[in-house]
Amino acid sequence: MTIRYRRAFCSTGILLAAALAGCTPDHPAAPTTIVYVSNADSAEISVLRLDNATGAITPVDTVAVSGKVMPLTTSRDHRILYASLRSAPYSVAAFGIDSATGKLQPNPAVALPDNMAYLSTDRTGRYLFGASYTGDKISVNAIDPSGRVSPEPVQVIATPPHAHSIVTDPSNRYVFAAVLGGDVVLQFRFDEATGRLTPNEPASVATEPGAGPRHLLFHRNGRYVYASNELDGTVTTYRFDPDRGTLTLQHSDSVLPPDFAGGAPATSDLHITPDGRYLYVAERTSSTIAGFRVADATGALTPIGSTPTEAQPRGFGIDPRGRYLIAAGEKSNAITRYTINPDTGALTPGEHLDLGRDPNWVEIIDMP
């Protein structure tokens, strides 16, 4: 019996028949959860299924692409996967997502204004944002109703050196770009009718000198923003003013483990559990993931420990229910799945799976 008909059958209230069908009126079948991992040096995307009950990971498919594939993002309805190809000619590959299996159906790649280290969409799904680390710019391209990205950008904006990420706020009225070489987060007003960005007032907020802001993340309550700082091994908390669309720096916390042996920090990705209780930040030099408990009222972070992980973890993801964290190691060519303790936030390592060369980005979604 398909999930769609099972759900309809379960809602009839015929308890015995529903039980025989393997369902109950109050517990519809769980959605299928799919994990996408980009493998840069082998130019392929791994498609994996995540079992919501056990955390088991099952390979589904491996999809070849035409260049060095790195950042991934999905459309708001989870029907399209966008992948940045960071070898010339720089482009975005758009894949249709099969709603039953998660397999990818390729579409022609579309040129982007530069080599994009980060992709995201606005809250309407009508625009694709890009941040170019090597090109020192951000861009906006329109997305048509079929999910196709327009080859002509709406806007390209020069930035200080090494733009590294770009995201919208929950209201879709403001956009922020972390610029690693400039030690700033750029602040823009966003017109979702035209897709254009205009500098906010002020146009930027400074980080600590030498921090090197990399990735940005909004807390689910919309009042706080977190930034992973690549160069000084910290994560910064900003207070967000939703009326003005501006950030105010609050505090920075180290993500380095207590026994850090030295060398240059290389903080990378960060994610928060869907309930907003735990924040995790990857650090590549020590090959660890730092965990923090988040105070909902203030946004303040309390360290809960560092967990050794795959060698040089550039990217990781958390499943939509906040039960599992999957980390990819650039140098180990593998991923590990961790179970998240809901009471403490501690990570317990589980399944390890070898993938392609240089796995660096992890995207986890429920099927629509």
Side-chain angles (χ1 to χ4, degrees):
M1 184 178 291
T2 65
I3 289 175
R4 181 178 61 185
Y5 289 113
R6 249 176 105 172
R7 287 179 177 169
F9 189 74
C10 287
S11 66
T12 64
I14 306 174
L15 298 181
L16 178 58
L20 292 173
C23 54
T24 67
D26 296 328
H27 297 86
T32 299
T33 301
I34 297 294
V35 182
Y36 298 104
V37 182
S38 59
N39 302 288
D41 289 345
S42 50
E44 61 190 17
I45 299 172
S46 298
V47 183
L48 313 163
R49 182 179 297 108
L50 175 67
D51 187 301
N52 289 304
T54 67
I57 299 171
T58 304
V60 173
D61 201 5
T62 301
V63 180
V65 296
S66 60
K68 185 168 185 159
V69 58
M70 297 186 80
L72 306 173
T73 193
T74 60
S75 60
R76 292 292 166 173
D77 60 7
H78 293 173
R79 297 183 185 278
I80 306 289
L81 178 76
Y82 299 103
S84 175
L85 303 182
R86 298 189 67 186
S87 41
Y90 307 126
S91 59
V92 58
F95 298 87
I97 298 175
D98 185 289
S99 61
T101 66
K103 289 185 176 182
L104 300 176
Q105 307 298 323
N107 294 299
V110 173
L112 288 178
D114 215 309
N115 176 352
M116 295 302 174
Y118 196 96
L119 297 177
S120 64
T121 64
D122 82 305
R123 302 282 171 170
T124 70
R126 295 171 51 216
Y127 299 98
L128 180 75
F129 300 114
S132 177
Y133 180 91
T134 57
D136 308 329
K137 61 174 66 77
I138 58 173
S139 65
V140 186
N141 286 65
I143 301 173
D144 72 17
S146 71
R148 183 179 183 274
V149 178
S150 170
E152 295 299 325
V154 173
Q155 195 173 18
V156 178
I157 299 173
T159 69
H162 307 326
H164 219 315
S165 64
I166 181 168
V167 299
T168 65
D169 82 304
S171 75
N172 213 43
R173 295 186 297 154
Y174 304 105
V175 165
F176 300 88
V179 183
L180 184 146
D183 280 335
V184 294
V185 177
L186 303 180
Q187 305 183 132
F188 297 94
R189 294 186 294 271
F190 175 57
D191 183 344
E192 66 178 38
T194 64
R196 296 191 67 83
L197 302 171
T198 55
N200 206 343
E201 297 178 3
S204 66
V205 57
T207 68
E208 297 290 346
R214 181 182 174 95
H215 286 182
L216 298 169
L217 176 69
F218 271 83
H219 190 278
R220 68 164 190 166
N221 65 20
R223 299 195 301 269
Y224 299 98
V225 173
Y226 300 97
S228 60
N229 298 308
E230 179 173 335
L231 303 183
D232 72 353
T234 65
V235 57
T236 295
T237 303
Y238 295 91
R239 187 176 71 250
F240 175 58
D241 183 333
D243 297 319
R244 298 177 58 220
T246 55
L247 303 179
T248 302
L249 191 150
Q250 299 293 286
H251 192 260
S252 292
D253 294 272
S254 175
V255 304
L256 299 173
D259 59 352
F260 184 65
T267 308
S268 55
D269 206 1
L270 81 170
H271 292 279
I272 197 166
T273 52
D275 61 10
R277 295 177 63 198
Y278 301 110
L279 175 75
Y280 300 92
V281 188
E283 204 289 307
R284 288 172 289 178
T285 301
S286 60
S287 294
T288 57
I289 296 176
F292 298 88
R293 183 175 291 105
V294 182
D296 190 73
T298 65
L301 303 178
T302 301
I304 57 176
S306 291
T307 302
T309 189
E310 297 286 344
Q312 200 164 297
R314 186 182 183 119
F316 69 96
I318 296 173
D319 82 287
R321 276 150 293 284
R323 297 174 183 170
Y324 304 109
L325 183 152
I326 297 175
E330 286 185 298
K331 289 189 174 180
S332 64
N333 298 328
I335 60 171
T336 290
R337 183 260 302 158
Y338 299 84
T339 300
I340 301 173
N341 186 309
D343 298 319
T344 67
L347 301 178
T348 300
E351 190 170 1
H352 168 96
L353 189 67
D354 292 331
L355 294 182
R357 298 191 305 277
D358 188 11
N360 64 87
W361 200 279
V362 179
E363 196 78 9
I364 308 177
I365 64 169
D366 283 341
M367 291 294 92

